[in-house]
Amino acid sequence: MRNNRFTHLLVLGVFALGIISACKKSSITPDEPVTPTTPSGTRTELTKDSIFLYGKELYYWNTSLPTYEAFNPRAFSSNEAELYAMTQYSSDPSTGKPYEYVSNSTEPKYSFFDYTAATSGKTGALKADVNGSANDYGFSVRYNTTEDLRVKYVYANSPAAQQGLTRGCRITSVNGRTNLSYSSSNIVDFLNSAIFGTNPSVTLAFNDLSGNPKTAVIISANYTVNPILYTNIYTVGAKKVGYIVFNSFTNNASAALNAAFSNFATQGVTELVVDLRYNGGGYVSTATQIINLAAPAAQTGNTMFTSYYNSYLQSITTAQRKASVLAHQPLLDDAGKLQTFTTGVNGKYATYADLNYSPTAADNIEKFAKSGSLALNRIYFLVTGSTASASELTINSLKPVMDVKLIGTTTYGKPVGFFPIRIDKVDMYIPEFETKNQNGVGGYYSGLTVDKESSEDLTKAFGDETETMLAYALAYAKTGTFVIPAAKTSSLSTSTVTTAAKLSTAEMKSADKRLDQNEFKGMVMTPRKRF
C-alpha cells in the first residue's frame, strides 16, 4: 500500500458545499478515469480542503466535526496542525476527553499522514513495521533504567544483526556520546536522530549479554523483515508450551506463521505464549490468520469480529456512495495493487464506493475459519503499552472463545482501524471503523487490562525462562497460578546495572512514545467486497 501504485491529485469531497473532485491518471489507473471540473485554490489549499472533507465523510467520529465554514481548513499553518485540530472534537464519555487526546502532545493518538519518500523525501510511517521490507539499521532501543539503555529487539539479517547486536545488549556510546542518561539534555532527540533518523550509519559501543564490551559501525541497508523474532517449546511438567515473539503484523508473514504453528502442533503444544510486547499492529489480514491458527476448530463459521463504520456511511445507498469521494479511492490489496472486479464502478476496478458499510453486511463480519491442527487449551499474551491495534484485535477476538491470559502492563488502546486515503502526495490515515468481538465487546480506548501485572526485563534474551513476563506464563502453565517458585524468584529482573532508578510507568510511556517516533501503531484494513 506504500508503493505509489496509485498517484492521485487533490480529491475534494462532494458534500453540501458542492465542491467537485479532481484526479490524475497514473500508469495503473483505470482506462476510464473521471474527468471533473478543477476546483479553485492553490495546491496547498486544496489539500487542506480535502483533509477536512474526507474526514467529514469517513472519520469514525464525523458527527463531532463542525461545518467547513466553521472549521476553515485553509486557515491552518500545516496539514499536521489541521489534522490534530480535526481529531480533537470527539469526546470519550469514559474520560471526558477526545478519543484521540494525548497528554502533553500536539499529535493525535491514532491519525497520521504517511508521506511517500518518492514524492516528498520523508520516511513513511508504515516502513518496515507492516510492509515486510526496510532500509534502516534493523534494531530499536528502550530504557531499562534511567542510566541503562538497552537493545529491545533486532531483526534477523538486518545490518544490526550482522554486526552482532542482540536483544539485551547495553548501549554505552552512540556516535561517541557516552552520557546516555535518560535525564541528560536532549538525549531523546539525539537518539532519534542517530538511531532512527536518515543517517547512513551509526557507531555504537555496547556490552553484550555476557558483559563483553564491543564496538560496531552499523550501515543502513535494505533487508527483508521477518516479524517472528523467536520461537521455542518448553516442557512444563507434562505439558508442552510454545512460545513465539511476533513483532509486527506484516503482509509477508503468512508462510512463516504457518510453519511455526505447524511445528507447535507436531510437537504436541497445548498452551501457547504469544509475545506481543512491542507489536503495534499492522494488517488485519495477518491478525485473522493468527487468530484462525490459534482458535478452536469448533468456532469455524462463527463470528470472529464485526467492523462498524460511522452512521453516515451506513445510511447512504450504493448510488449515493458512487457520487461521493469514495468513488475516487480505489480498493488496493495488501501488496498495494488495484483490486479488479467485473462489477466494479466502471467494470474494471473497485473503489470504496462498492462496499456496503452496514455492520450486518457480510463484507463487515469476519468469520472464524480454523487453519492448521494446533489445539490449544490456553493462550497467554505478553503485552505492554506498545501493544496496539491489530495485536489488541487478536486478543479481543480470542477472549470469548478460549482461555486467554494477559501478562505485562495495560495495552495501548486502539479498537479502531483505517485504510489509506490518498490526497495528492500524502496518504491520510484516520479511524474509519471500530471492531467488536462476537460478544459485541470493543471500545477498549484506555487499553486492555492484564491478569498479571509485570514489568519486563531488558537484560534477558527472548526465550530466557527467567525473563519476568515469560516466567509468569510458564509458572501459570505449571501450577495454575502466577506464583513463581522461590528458587527462581531471585533470578528474575536481575540487571547488571542496579544503582539506577527504574523509570516510572508514566516515564516509560513517555520514553516509548518519544523514542522511535515512526514506530507504527495501527490496524490497516484492506477492504474487499465479497463479489
Side-chain angles (χ1 to χ4, degrees), residues 23 32 47 51 53-54 57 78 97 112 148 150 172 195 208 244 261 279 344 378 394 414 439 442 474 505 512:
C23 66
E32 302 172 13
T47 295
I51 290 168
L53 293 170
Y54 267 120
E57 184 164 313
S78 67
K97 298 182 181 299
F112 64 91
D148 185 15
R150 296 274 173 164
T172 57
I195 297 176
D208 65 19
I244 182 170
F261 277 75
N279 194 320
R378 183 179 295 122
T394 300
K414 190 177 186 297
N439 289 345
L474 296 178
T505 301
D512 286 343

Side-chain angles (χ1 to χ4, degrees), residues 166-479:
T166 66
R167 170 179 165 82
C169 288
R170 184 189 177 203
I171 306 296
T172 57
S173 172
V174 178
N175 289 341
R177 177 169 174 168
T178 57
N179 181 7
L180 303 178
S181 171
Y182 183 68
S183 59
S184 65
S185 176
N186 298 321
I187 185 61
V188 173
D189 291 339
F190 170 78
L191 293 174
N192 278 332
S193 175
I195 297 176
F196 306 115
T198 57
N199 302 307
S201 66
V202 62
T203 301
L204 301 178
F206 61 94
N207 296 334
D208 65 19
L209 282 172
S210 299
N212 302 311
K214 297 182 178 181
T215 59
V217 177
I218 303 174
I219 300 173
S220 180
N222 288 302
Y223 63 95
T224 298
V225 173
N226 180 355
I228 300 177
L229 301 184
Y230 182 84
T231 64
N232 198 13
I233 297 173
Y234 303 90
T235 299
V236 181
K239 297 178 182 177
K240 294 289 186 179
V241 179
Y243 177 59
I244 182 170
V245 182
F246 194 64
N247 208 49
S248 179
F249 289 82
T250 62
N251 61 2
N252 69 331
S254 181
L257 283 170
N258 286 337
F261 277 75
S262 176
N263 181 57
F264 290 147
T266 300
Q267 299 300 317
V269 165
T270 58
E271 297 189 11
L272 179 64
V273 183
V274 182
D275 195 331
L276 301 175
R277 69 183 75 189
Y278 307 132
N279 194 320
Y283 285 102
V284 171
S285 56
T286 306
T288 59
Q289 179 186 358
I290 292 180
I291 293 166
N292 282 321
L293 286 166
Q299 285 296 318
T300 294
N302 293 337
T303 297
M304 180 188 292
F305 62 85
T306 301
S307 297
Y308 295 81
Y309 294 84
N310 66 41
S311 57
Y312 168 73
L313 288 176
Q314 290 183 40
S315 66
I316 58 177
T317 65
T318 300
Q320 289 171 324
R321 290 197 297 271
K322 290 182 179 180
S324 75
V325 294
L326 292 166
H328 301 293
Q329 293 292 334
L331 289 177
L332 307 179
D333 62 19
D334 285 352
K337 296 180 180 179
L338 287 170
Q339 298 187 53
T340 55
F341 302 105
T342 57
T343 53
V345 168
N346 61 5
K348 294 185 180 296
Y349 76 109
T351 72
Y352 293 125
D354 285 295
L355 301 179
N356 187 333
Y357 293 92
S358 168
T360 60
D363 294 351
N364 301 318
I365 302 174
E366 190 70 35
K367 303 277 189 180
F368 283 102
K370 174 65 177 177
S371 61
S373 58
L374 183 63
L376 297 174
N377 297 324
R378 183 179 295 122
I379 188 166
Y380 308 84
F381 290 101
L382 308 187
V383 298
T384 67
S386 296
T387 305
S389 210
S391 288
E392 294 168 310
L393 171 68
T394 300
I395 297 167
N396 193 51
S397 296
L398 287 172
K399 272 190 167 187
V401 302
M402 61 189 301
D403 188 2
V404 174
K405 302 296 181 188
L406 271 63
I407 301 168
T409 55
T410 301
T411 64
Y412 182 74
K414 190 177 186 297
V416 289
F418 36 50
F419 42 78
I421 298 299
R422 174 57 58 87
I423 303 174
D424 195 22
K425 296 180 180 181
V426 62
D427 280 348
M428 179 171 72
Y429 287 82
I430 57 176
E432 290 137 341
F433 63 91
E434 179 180 9
T435 61
K436 297 180 182 181
N437 65 23
Q438 68 173 227
N439 289 345
V441 175
Y444 40 85
Y445 292 99
S446 296
L448 298 169
T449 57
V450 297
D451 298 288
K452 176 59 182 178
E453 189 83 21
S454 173
S455 59
E456 68 167 328
D457 185 357
L458 280 158
T459 71
K460 305 288 174 62
F462 285 126
D464 188 324
E465 294 182 51
T466 65
E467 194 280 318
T468 316
M469 294 168 70
L470 177 58
Y472 280 123
L474 296 178
Y476 197 97
K478 184 174 183 178
T479 67

Side-chain angles (χ1 to χ4, degrees), residues 136 144 177 325 355 420 496 523:
D136 54 29
N144 192 49
R177 177 169 174 168
V325 294
L355 301 179
T496 55
M523 180 163 59

Side-chain angles (χ1 to χ4, degrees), residues 132-166:
S133 63
N135 187 343
D136 54 29
Y137 305 136
F139 76 103
S140 189
V141 296
R142 193 183 198 205
Y143 277 94
N144 192 49
T145 71
T146 56
E147 308 299 320
D148 185 15
L149 181 66
R150 296 274 173 164
V151 174
K152 66 179 186 180
Y153 67 79
V154 179
Y155 282 116
N157 302 318
S158 68
Q162 293 174 1
Q163 292 298 314
L165 214 62
T166 66

Side-chain angles (χ1 to χ4, degrees), residues 34-112:
V34 177
T35 307
T37 303
T38 303
S40 62
T42 67
R43 189 170 192 161
T44 298
E45 289 172 335
L46 294 175
T47 295
K48 290 178 179 177
D49 285 348
S50 298
I51 290 168
F52 175 75
L53 293 170
Y54 267 120
K56 190 71 172 173
E57 184 164 313
L58 303 179
Y59 192 47
Y60 189 60
W61 301 288
N62 66 328
T63 56
S64 67
L65 297 178
T67 64
Y68 174 91
E69 291 86 356
F71 187 75
N72 192 12
R74 297 188 182 192
F76 290 93
S77 60
S78 67
N79 295 343
E80 286 73 17
E82 178 187 357
L83 183 66
Y84 178 75
M86 189 173 78
T87 63
Q88 300 305 298
Y89 283 92
S90 60
S91 182
D92 182 350
S94 66
T95 63
K97 298 182 181 299
Y99 287 98
E100 295 210 55
Y101 171 80
V102 179
S103 178
N104 299 318
S105 176
T106 57
E107 294 181 0
K109 184 174 183 180
Y110 308 131
S111 300
F112 64 91

